[in-house]
Amino acid sequence: MKRRVLILAAASLLLAWVLGQLNHYLALWQIHVWCGGLFVTFVALRLGYRMGAVTSFIAGLLLDAGAPVAFGTQGFLLLAAHAVIFTIRARAPREETIIGVVIALFANLGLFLALSFLRIDSLVNPAPAWMRVFADLLVSQLVLALIAPWFFAVQTRLLEATGANLRRDFSRRLT
């Protein structure tokens, strides 16, 4: 279990780095991309609850390290998203990439709005701030839809390279 969590945390670190580079290049246009839903979807759909929860929380802490929020905020938000996705995953064909992308889009929408409510101060003029939030949300959703299949494939290949057989693990848990 520890090895899988570390491998998936490394994949999350890779995604955080890629998104950081993308945000660096988009800073010229004052656009920020946040794909928090992508950090939690694969592990919530394909792994057991405990392993996925630990991985999601670690990914959230990685995001917190470079964000202007209280440390642990995104960790607990991703943990909550993991619990919701894990609860509904029995109703969806979780090995299908398109289903994973759709769930990641919904998770990202919820997480993005929750984080925005936590970060926008009521004393500031909220109208321009919310217009900016919705512009960033639109760009974030487009980027997430484009890179989600790649990131799911990276996570699957990393788990396979370390000897994890997801199909065997599913059949063992179902019996």
Side-chain angles (χ1 to χ4, degrees):
M1 176 178 154
K2 291 178 186 177
R3 182 173 52 176
R4 290 183 194 172
V5 169
L6 288 175
I7 291 297
L8 292 171
S12 295
L13 191 59
L14 171 68
L15 179 62
W17 178 78
V18 168
L19 291 174
Q21 292 299 311
L22 179 63
N23 283 326
H24 175 74
Y25 291 113
L26 292 176
L28 179 65
W29 294 285
Q30 297 179 354
I31 297 172
H32 179 76
V33 172
W34 190 81
C35 295
L38 196 52
F39 287 90
V40 70
T41 302
F42 181 85
V43 296
L45 288 176
R46 306 286 296 277
L47 300 177
Y49 183 80
R50 184 175 175 200
M51 187 184 319
V54 169
T55 305
S56 297
F57 188 69
I58 290 172
L61 294 179
L62 287 172
L63 292 174
D64 280 336
V69 295
F71 191 69
T73 302
Q74 294 181 68
F76 284 113
L77 283 174
L78 291 184
L79 192 59
H82 175 269
V84 170
I85 294 170
F86 189 86
T87 302
I88 64 169
R89 79 180 193 169
R91 297 179 184 97
R94 43 188 176 188
E95 291 185 18
E96 297 292 326
T97 302
I98 190 71
I99 300 300
V101 172
V102 170
I103 290 173
L105 286 168
F106 280 117
N108 198 60
L109 174 66
L111 288 166
F112 194 98
L113 291 176
L115 193 59
S116 297
F117 277 111
L118 290 173
R119 292 186 61 200
I120 292 182
D121 189 9
S122 61
L123 299 176
V124 178
N125 186 5
W130 280 107
M131 291 304 293
R132 164 72 187 252
V133 165
F134 288 126
D136 287 348
L137 176 61
L138 178 65
V139 173
S140 296
Q141 295 291 77
L142 291 172
V143 168
L144 187 142
L146 289 173
I147 66 171
W150 165 78
F151 188 60
F152 293 157
V154 165
Q155 289 176 309
T156 302
R157 298 299 178 250
L158 284 173
L159 286 174
E160 288 174 354
T162 59
N165 185 351
L166 293 176
R167 292 196 183 274
R168 180 187 49 136
D169 290 347
F170 279 142
S171 62
R172 189 174 20 170
R173 265 188 241 125
L174 294 175
T175 58

